[in-house]
Amino acid sequence: MRHGGDIYTVSELTGKSPYEILDMSSSVNPLPLPEKIKKKVIEKFPFLHKYPDTEARAFVRTLSELYDIPSEKIICGNGLTELIYLTVQALKPESVLLLEPTFTEYERACKFNDINDIERIFSLSKEKIIEMLWKTMKERKYAMVFICNPNNPTGWLIEKSEILKLASLYEDTIFVVDEAFIDFVPEESLFREVSPNIIVLRSLTKFYGLAGLRFGYAVASIQIVERIKKYRHPWSINSLAQLIAEEIIRDEDFKRQSYEFFKSEKDFFERSLNELKLKYFPSVANFYLFEIPKKGVFQYMIERGVLIRDCSNFYGLNENFIRVSVKSRAENERFFKEMKEFLRS
C-alpha cells in the first residue's frame, strides 16, 4: 500500500466490508459535509448530464473574491497530486531537491517525466532539515525544490518567512510548496504571497474531508499557470467536486467546527500517546508520526480491522514508524485500545 486510505485492499485481505474498517491511515477530516451543501448537491443533480467546466470558473471566482487573489494566478486540478505531476511535466526541471522524509509522489512525478537528477536531504529534526536546506542551496543550484508544509509524514511546519527568504535569495529556483495541510495553520499559507518562483499547491481533501471527490488548486505566477494549463486534460474535475468545493470554502461555520474538533481530539491523542510512552513527533496537522518499539503492528492492526499508515516506504524510515490520523473520539479510543493490547502482547 503506497498511500493511506486503501480500505479496499484491506477489505480483500480480511474479508471485511470497507465500511467495517477503521481507517486511521488517511488524514481526512471525519466531520460530515454540512447539510446545506448536501441539499445544494441534490438540487444540482439534474445538471449532471452537462460537461463540467474545464476552468472551474465558479470556484476560481469564489477563491479570488475571498482571498483577493487574481483569478489568472489560479489553476484547479483533479486533486493536488494531479497538479504535482502537471507542474513537473510543464516546467521540466533539470534538477530537483527533496526534503526527506516527505510525500512520495514528488519523486514519482519526477521519474515519470524522466527527471533523474534528484537529490535529498534527510533529517527527523525540523531545525536540522532547515539548516541542511540552507547549506545545500549554497553548495549547488537546483531548478526545483519541493517543500511539503506542513510536512507529511512528520507534521512539522517551516515558517513562511523562512521560505520567502529562501525564494528571494534563489530566484532561479522554483519552490513548489505543498500546502495540503495548511488549513490547520492558515496564517502560515503562502498562497497570497506567491512570487515568480513560488508555486503553492492546495487541497480540499484533508481539512475539508473531500478525499473521494478529488479537488485541488495551485496559485502561481500567470506565466507558470499558463504553462501548466497546456498539459492539463479537459474535464478532469467533475461537476460535483466543483460545486462542493465552491460552497465549502465559504462555509465559516464548518471551518470553526473543524478547528474546535481537532483541537479537542489532538489533545486527547497526545495524552494517549504519552500514557503509552510512545515517542511521537509534534504535529501542527491532523496526524502523528511515531515509532513503535516492536515489529508487527501493521499486520496486527489489519487483522483487527484497523488500517494505519505503514511508513516504511518513506525515505529513511522503516516499518517501526507509523502515521496515524486524528479521527472521532470513539475511533481514537478504539485505536488506542488496540495499540495498548499490541504493546502488551
Side-chain angles (χ1 to χ4, degrees):
M1 298 179 193
R2 198 168 71 236
H3 296 294
D6 190 359
I7 56 175
Y8 312 101
T9 298
V10 175
S11 174
E12 289 190 353
L13 291 173
T14 63
K16 297 178 183 291
S17 162
Y19 299 102
E20 294 179 74
I21 296 160
L22 172 57
D23 181 13
M24 304 292 289
S25 70
S26 62
S27 305
V28 176
N29 189 341
L31 295 183
L33 202 63
E35 286 300 320
K36 60 184 176 181
I37 295 181
K38 291 179 184 178
K39 288 178 182 177
K40 288 204 174 187
V41 170
I42 293 170
E43 289 171 11
K44 293 288 185 178
F45 256 81
F47 203 69
L48 290 184
H49 71 292
K50 303 289 187 184
Y51 280 102
D53 179 5
T54 296
E55 298 299 324
R57 290 176 180 87
F59 174 84
V60 169
R61 278 194 298 269
T62 300
L63 187 72
S64 178
E65 291 166 6
L66 281 175
Y67 298 105
D68 195 26
I69 300 170
S71 58
E72 299 83 6
K73 291 187 173 184
I74 304 167
I75 179 173
C76 301
N78 189 295
L80 184 151
T81 301
E82 181 191 39
L83 292 166
I84 292 171
Y85 280 74
L86 288 175
T87 297
V88 174
Q89 186 180 13
L91 301 184
K92 299 177 175 61
E94 292 183 357
S95 56
V96 173
L97 179 65
L98 303 178
L99 284 59
E100 301 281 12
T102 198
F103 189 43
T104 55
E105 293 300 327
Y106 308 145
E107 180 182 5
R108 293 189 76 246
C110 290
K111 291 187 174 178
F112 185 80
N113 287 284
D114 298 319
I115 296 159
N116 296 308
D117 187 358
I118 304 170
E119 289 198 11
R120 318 167 190 272
I121 52 176
F122 172 86
S123 179
L124 290 176
S125 159
K126 183 183 90 167
E127 291 70 25
K128 183 67 174 175
I129 204 80
I130 294 173
E131 179 186 323
M132 293 170 73
L133 174 58
W134 278 100
K135 182 175 183 292
T136 306
M137 292 295 294
K138 288 176 184 177
E139 292 173 350
R140 186 195 163 179
K141 177 181 175 181
Y142 295 93
M144 183 174 286
V145 177
F146 280 94
I147 300 177
C148 189
N149 204 45
N151 187 50
N152 172 18
T154 58
W156 65 46
L157 175 85
I158 298 176
E159 286 70 19
K160 69 177 181 180
S161 58
E162 193 89 34
I163 299 172
L164 288 170
K165 187 176 179 182
L166 262 172
S168 68
L169 290 174
Y170 298 96
E171 295 180 347
D172 294 332
T173 299
I174 298 290
F175 291 85
V176 181
V177 185
D178 177 348
E179 293 188 345
F181 294 96
I182 203 69
D183 291 287
F184 297 98
V185 276
E187 68 280 2
E188 288 293 335
S189 176
L190 285 167
F191 75 156
R192 280 177 286 189
E193 300 172 70
V194 295
S195 61
N197 65 328
I198 292 178
I199 302 171
V200 173
L201 306 179
R202 300 285 298 263
S203 169
L204 270 68
T205 295
K206 314 302 181 183
F207 184 82
Y208 294 99
L210 301 179
L213 281 176
R214 311 308 304 141
F215 192 96
Y217 63 94
V219 182
S221 70
I222 295 172
Q223 293 78 11
I224 286 177
V225 166
E226 288 303 315
R227 287 177 67 177
I228 295 173
K229 281 184 177 180
K230 291 178 182 178
Y231 292 88
R232 185 181 55 185
H233 296 176
W235 311 302
S236 67
I237 315 164
N238 70 73
S239 299
L240 286 180
Q242 293 187 36
L243 169 66
I244 294 174
E246 176 198 354
E247 293 294 332
I248 204 161
I249 63 167
R250 289 192 290 212
D251 195 325
E252 293 300 324
D253 288 338
F254 180 80
K255 292 178 190 177
R256 178 183 51 76
Q257 290 167 12
S258 296
Y259 288 131
E260 292 172 357
F261 167 79
F262 279 113
K263 184 181 185 308
S264 173
E265 290 310 310
K266 277 170 66 72
D267 288 345
F268 171 79
F269 220 88
E270 291 183 12
R271 288 198 306 273
S272 300
L273 287 168
N274 288 329
E275 286 173 9
L276 293 178
K277 296 182 172 55
L278 290 171
K279 176 187 174 184
Y280 66 92
F281 292 80
S283 170
V284 301
N286 61 332
F287 59 83
Y288 289 90
L289 174 70
F290 49 99
E291 192 173 2
I292 303 298
K294 56 188 289 192
K295 296 186 184 301
V297 64
F298 182 76
Q299 187 60 37
Y300 180 93
M301 289 291 182
I302 287 283
E303 290 170 358
R304 286 151 183 80
V306 180
L307 177 57
I308 57 177
R309 178 65 161 92
D310 173 359
C311 290
S312 59
N313 72 328
F314 283 98
Y315 181 87
L317 303 185
N318 58 40
E319 64 185 78
N320 286 71
F321 286 89
I322 64 170
R323 191 196 68 202
V324 178
S325 60
V326 177
K327 299 296 184 182
S328 69
R329 180 60 58 91
E331 290 170 319
N332 294 336
E333 287 177 342
R334 179 182 164 192
F335 165 74
F336 280 108
K337 177 179 178 294
E338 298 291 0
M339 180 58 71
K340 190 179 294 184
E341 291 300 318
F342 170 75
L343 293 171
R344 286 175 177 168
S345 63

